[in-house]
Amino acid sequence: MPLLAASTQRNLGMAIAVVAIVGFAIYLIYNVLWAGREERGSELELAPNRKPYMNDQELETRRLDLALAGGLATLVIIGVALPLYWLGEPGRQQGYVEDSRRQFTSRGGEMFEEQCSDCHGGGGLGGSTATTIVDDSGNFVTPVQWEVPALTTTLYRFSEDEVRHILNYGRPPTPMQAWGAPGGGPLTTQQVDELIQYIQSIQLSPEEVEQEVLDGLILQVRGDVLEANPELGARLAEANDAVRQAGADEAAAEAAARNLAAVEQEIRETSEQYIRDLPGVDGASAARGELLFNNGVYGCARCHTPRDSWRFTVPEEAPGEDPKTYEQGSPEEAEVVARLGSLIPEREPGGGAFGPNLTNGSTKRQFDTAGDHAGFVAEGSQEGKAFGNFGQGDGGGQMPAFGVCVGDRDSGERSPIHGFCTLTDGSPRPGMLTPEQIDDIVAYERGL
């Protein structure tokens, strides 16, 4: 409706402008063509400064009345047109903002596909990139495949200025390099802003975020659920066999696919109930907290657990082939770990990597109460703002926010124009995790 109103005001203003222009054109035509007369005779008789002019009676009645009426009409048009023009200004401003946003998003999307998609995946859906692990002296240790996070929830967790800081200066010691000119990168300030605008355009809705978090938890407990429900596992195996045996028979394939989908839905519902039933104290479950802690980009382990963000690899066996990646817990990974020994960190849950070590009661020393701890997990670190008993916000989005949307936190006056954390109905956009989920994480971390 606001855009419709702005369009109506703009159309009315255009109509008044057209009337004014047409009226002025008629005035010129009348005075130049119709009111003029062809000159005949001598210059002495017809020169404007020599020929007799209208008398006072003509000047002060009909001629003056026409001039005054024309002036009044002009004032009326101006008096009406200016307020209407002013009323249409919000619509023009909004249109300019939307058009600029479309342009920035389009250019940012093209730049993202050229510069960023090799690591972050097409559309920012996540990917991986080859990198190396080095020792404290910078010597090569081993090649690894770094799991690059999706960017579809970035502005839930980081403010616009924090994203700009990361783009400008990178995120050491991860493979994320400096892209902005302030950090020595190739992109201008406007190009960084265009990337940020594109990132905003690919953010998931709150409902999609909630679904992604739950999907990650279900994936983690799937094995335990199938082990605890052997008949469900048997039905899953039968359903998969039926899909394979259907072959080119379309009717059989469709029936087998429907049966497999029904079994998968039952596994999902059973898994959701399994997660809800995990034991806890005073409503908070450390067992659920462990699942949330290890839940990829929606969790904490990729920053706080050594080796969680990457997998060991071996070079490709033939030119053009992708390197082989060893899954965590596999025999191949165990062999690599045994060979490298002390050159790589031990994969201790919460043992510290990009983020600090959370074990040995460090979180209890940092935060006196679980409530203080949960508040920090919800809001993250901020430049110049102290947290806990020993921490101080160091800027750059080092600790993201998990419980509130912070995309607009540093936007100031830009928030009403470029705001992300306000939904279309005017309500605030929630964070990635609910308060109950954060309480579960806190219960797990304070027990490490």
Side-chain angles (χ1 to χ4, degrees), residues 162-220:
E162 289 169 343
V163 174
R164 184 175 291 105
H165 181 95
I166 294 171
L167 288 171
N168 281 333
Y169 298 102
R171 199 162 168 80
T174 76
M176 176 63 186
Q177 66 188 60
W179 285 96
L187 302 184
T188 66
T189 299
Q190 178 169 320
Q191 288 174 317
V192 169
D193 286 342
E194 289 168 353
L195 276 177
I196 293 173
Q197 189 60 56
Y198 172 71
I199 291 172
Q200 183 182 112
S201 73
I202 62 173
Q203 299 301 285
L204 299 177
S205 69
E207 294 76 19
E208 291 171 327
V209 172
E210 181 181 359
Q211 191 65 46
E212 291 272 326
V213 172
L214 182 57
D215 288 345
L217 302 183
I218 291 174
L219 184 61
Q220 291 183 70

Side-chain angles (χ1 to χ4, degrees), residues 52-76:
Y53 199 58
M54 290 180 286
N55 57 38
D56 290 345
Q57 187 174 2
E58 291 177 308
L59 282 174
E60 294 178 2
T61 54
R62 181 176 61 85
R63 188 78 174 183
L64 181 59
D65 290 344
L66 286 174
L68 292 175
L72 178 61
T74 302
L75 288 175
V76 170

Side-chain angles (χ1 to χ4, degrees), residues 195-430:
L195 276 177
I196 293 173
Q197 189 60 56
Y198 172 71
I199 291 172
Q200 183 182 112
S201 73
I202 62 173
Q203 299 301 285
L204 299 177
S205 69
E207 294 76 19
E208 291 171 327
V209 172
E210 181 181 359
Q211 191 65 46
E212 291 272 326
V213 172
L214 182 57
D215 288 345
L217 302 183
I218 291 174
L219 184 61
Q220 291 183 70
V221 302
R222 181 183 178 92
D224 294 335
V225 168
L226 292 177
E227 183 178 353
N229 298 271
E231 54 85 21
L232 196 55
R235 288 169 51 201
L236 176 64
E238 292 175 0
N240 282 316
D241 287 340
V243 170
R244 286 191 294 268
Q245 294 170 5
D249 187 336
E250 293 185 4
E254 184 178 350
R258 285 199 303 268
N259 180 51
L260 178 59
V263 174
E264 287 288 355
Q265 180 61 30
E266 187 174 347
I267 293 173
R268 181 180 183 86
E269 293 172 355
T270 305
S271 299
E272 291 182 22
Q273 188 62 49
Y274 177 90
I275 293 169
R276 287 194 293 268
D277 291 342
L278 288 173
V281 178
D282 295 331
S285 170
R288 277 196 302 270
E290 182 177 8
L291 296 175
L292 290 160
F293 185 91
N294 294 300
N295 200 21
V297 71
Y298 300 98
C300 320
R302 63 175 289 112
C303 284
H304 290 284
T305 296
R307 295 180 11 214
D308 189 86
S309 298
W310 45 267
R311 304 290 178 265
F312 292 108
T313 61
V314 293
E316 62 274 11
E317 297 178 357
E321 289 186 358
D322 292 333
K324 184 183 297 182
T325 302
Y326 298 147
E327 292 299 322
Q328 289 179 350
S330 66
E332 294 87 355
E333 185 203 40
E335 291 179 8
V336 176
V337 171
R339 175 170 55 83
L340 296 175
S342 62
L343 293 176
I344 58 171
E346 179 184 354
R347 193 178 183 280
E348 178 186 13
F354 180 77
N357 190 318
L358 303 180
T359 63
N360 298 318
S362 63
T363 56
K364 292 182 178 179
R365 292 189 294 272
Q366 177 72 272
F367 302 102
D368 294 329
T369 68
D372 293 339
H373 188 168
F376 177 66
V377 174
E379 296 185 4
S381 65
Q382 299 178 54
E383 174 65 27
K385 183 177 179 180
F387 60 86
N389 295 322
F390 311 108
Q392 174 67 31
D394 51 7
Q398 300 305 302
M399 168 63 184
F402 286 92
V404 294
C405 179
V406 296
D408 306 335
R409 185 164 60 191
D410 304 313
S411 59
E413 295 179 354
R414 299 193 306 275
S415 181
I417 298 176
H418 301 291
F420 168 73
C421 291
T422 300
L423 298 173
T424 54
D425 62 0
S427 61
R429 185 184 295 266

